[in-house]
Amino acid sequence: MDLGENQLSGTILSWSANMLSSLQILRLRQNMLSGSIPSQICELSSLKILDLSRNNLNGSIPWCIRNLRGMTLQVPTLPPTSPVAEAPALPPTSPVAEAPAWLPTAPAPEPPVKNWQSEDVKEVVKGRELDYIRILKLVVHMDLSENNLVGSIPKGIALLDGLHSLNLSNNHLIGKIPNKIGDMRSLESFDVSSNQLWGTIPSSMSAITSLTRLNLSYNNFSGPIPTENQFPTFDSSSYAGNPYLCGSPLPNKCGYSHQVQGSNEFEDEDSKTDKLEKWLFYFVIAIGFATGFWGVIGTLWFKKTWRHAYFRWVEDLADTIYVTTAIRMAKLKKWMMKRIRVFA
């Protein structure tokens, strides 16, 4: 479905897998669409190309984006021929023209989509607009660039290990690059430029040896640039506009503090969770104490009769304690005097 380069306005419909279960390409590029990306788009499990770039979309990237199984390596590919084509064909003169009744009937094959010989799609990959025709069935691409998307990059996006190109540039995304991005071993192009991302460049990105284009420019990244595998092949333009990045190919040299920061990569997610739970625990205790304290003090403040009764009770209790203590001390003193006389 290619509706790109039009003047479509409004919001994206909430398509479901029941309506478009076989949809592999959804291209709505360069329109005037607004609103958020509907979560129902995650139900299109056959989707291989998703291009929503150059619109006015807002909101965050759906966390269910991880459910696009068409962009993973686990999806089994159909053989180039129909399942019934491997059965030996009967000779034209054979008296048996139909299969025996006891054999199960195979379902009617779906319309072939294996070659895409008459289809072509233009996509901006690696900074260039390419027209895919012959290898269209092999392209796995996601482009959400040039919108008004906010929030962080979903961690589940790292599960799309069949994705070849990911473009999230020119949005208002915040937070860090997911630490497990190194699991996207098929990634060839990664562009998150012109956002508000921060943190260090995950060291796991060094495992993506297929990466040939990287653009992290104009964000707030900091710390050392990895030096393993393909990273020495990227020039300084990949990191422009990040004044706190250091290391080759940038002129900024990394000191000891940068190396420690790069090795630790801020705080681990588990430690953050523990800290949050600790703060919540203290907060609940404080709320309980304040509620109980003001429940008593506030009542005494506004209820004069209760306040007088409470103070009388306190005075009586203090008198009781004083008298009891005085009697016990007198008895103790009398007992000690008797013991002294006996020993004398």
Side-chain angles (χ1 to χ4, degrees):
M1 180 181 292
D2 188 352
L3 303 175
E5 289 88 20
N6 284 288
Q7 297 182 4
L8 300 177
S9 60
T11 59
I12 301 176
L13 296 178
S14 301
W15 293 313
S16 65
N18 296 330
M19 300 169 59
L20 302 169
S21 59
S22 301
L23 187 66
Q24 297 189 37
I25 298 175
L26 178 58
R27 188 175 185 270
L28 304 177
R29 176 185 178 85
Q30 198 171 343
N31 281 289
M32 297 183 293
L33 298 173
S34 59
S36 60
I37 301 175
S39 59
Q40 287 81 1
I41 207 168
C42 303
E43 300 178 13
L44 305 177
S45 57
S46 300
L47 209 59
K48 291 182 177 293
I49 295 179
L50 176 62
D51 191 347
L52 307 178
S53 61
R54 304 189 67 178
N55 281 284
N56 298 314
L57 300 175
N58 52 39
S60 59
I61 302 174
W63 289 91
C64 62
I65 203 78
R66 59 190 293 176
N67 297 332
L68 294 177
R69 290 179 290 131
M71 299 184 180
T72 63
L73 297 176
Q74 285 76 19
V75 178
T77 56
L78 294 175
T81 57
S82 177
V84 296
E86 298 180 358
L90 295 175
T93 56
S94 173
V96 183
E98 298 181 355
W102 50 270
L103 285 177
T105 56
E110 296 181 358
V113 293
K114 56 183 180 301
N115 291 326
W116 297 97
Q117 293 178 351
S118 60
E119 308 292 338
D120 72 296
V121 172
K122 291 183 179 180
E123 287 295 331
V124 178
V125 179
K126 301 182 181 180
R128 296 183 301 168
E129 186 177 71
L130 304 176
D131 194 356
Y132 292 98
I133 302 176
R134 294 184 178 180
I135 63 170
L136 180 57
K137 64 178 181 178
L138 303 177
V139 179
V140 186
H141 172 66
M142 181 186 296
D143 192 345
L144 307 179
S145 63
E146 298 186 53
N147 283 289
N148 297 310
L149 299 177
V150 297
S152 58
I153 301 175
K155 298 178 182 179
I157 205 169
L159 297 177
L160 306 181
D161 52 2
L163 203 59
H164 298 150
S165 174
L166 177 60
N167 191 347
L168 305 176
S169 63
N170 292 280
N171 283 290
H172 306 289
L173 301 176
I174 61 174
K176 299 189 294 184
I177 298 176
N179 288 329
K180 293 187 177 181
I181 192 173
D183 295 340
M184 304 176 72
R185 301 300 176 90
S186 302
L187 203 60
E188 300 177 8
S189 176
F190 182 61
D191 190 347
V192 292
S193 60
S194 300
N195 280 287
Q196 300 170 21
L197 300 171
W198 51 270
T200 58
I201 301 174
S203 58
S204 64
M205 289 189 68
S206 301
I208 314 176
T209 55
S210 59
L211 194 63
T212 57
R213 185 177 187 272
L214 176 66
N215 193 349
L216 307 179
S217 61
Y218 300 102
N219 282 283
N220 298 310
F221 292 115
S222 60
I225 298 173
T227 57
E228 296 82 7
N229 295 331
Q230 77 286 356
F231 271 91
T233 63
F234 303 133
D235 57 27
S236 58
S237 63
S238 299
Y239 314 104
N242 293 281
Y244 302 107
L245 278 178
C246 62
S248 179
L250 298 179
N252 302 336
K253 301 300 180 182
C254 294
Y256 176 76
S257 60
H258 292 102
Q259 295 176 359
V260 172
Q261 182 183 13
S263 61
N264 292 334
E265 286 197 7
F266 296 90
E267 294 178 308
D268 186 67
E269 295 297 331
D270 293 337
S271 63
K272 286 187 176 182
T273 303
D274 294 341
K275 184 179 292 186
L276 178 61
E277 291 179 352
K278 185 182 294 183
W279 278 107
L280 287 175
F281 175 73
Y282 292 146
F283 178 75
V284 170
I285 291 179
I287 291 294
F289 174 78
T291 302
F293 179 80
W294 285 109
V296 175
I297 300 300
T299 302
L300 296 178
W301 182 271
F302 292 104
K303 297 287 288 185
K304 185 176 181 180
T305 56
W306 288 26
R307 183 167 66 251
H308 290 171
Y310 174 74
F311 287 136
R312 278 198 304 270
W313 176 80
V314 172
E315 291 177 355
D316 292 343
L317 179 62
D319 292 341
T320 303
I321 294 175
Y322 174 77
V323 171
T324 303
T325 304
I327 293 174
R328 289 184 179 274
M329 290 298 295
K331 289 181 177 180
L332 179 62
K333 186 176 180 180
K334 187 176 181 180
W335 178 82
M336 292 181 64
M337 291 298 294
K338 287 183 179 180
R339 299 291 294 180
I340 293 173
R341 289 195 188 108
V342 170
F343 284 109

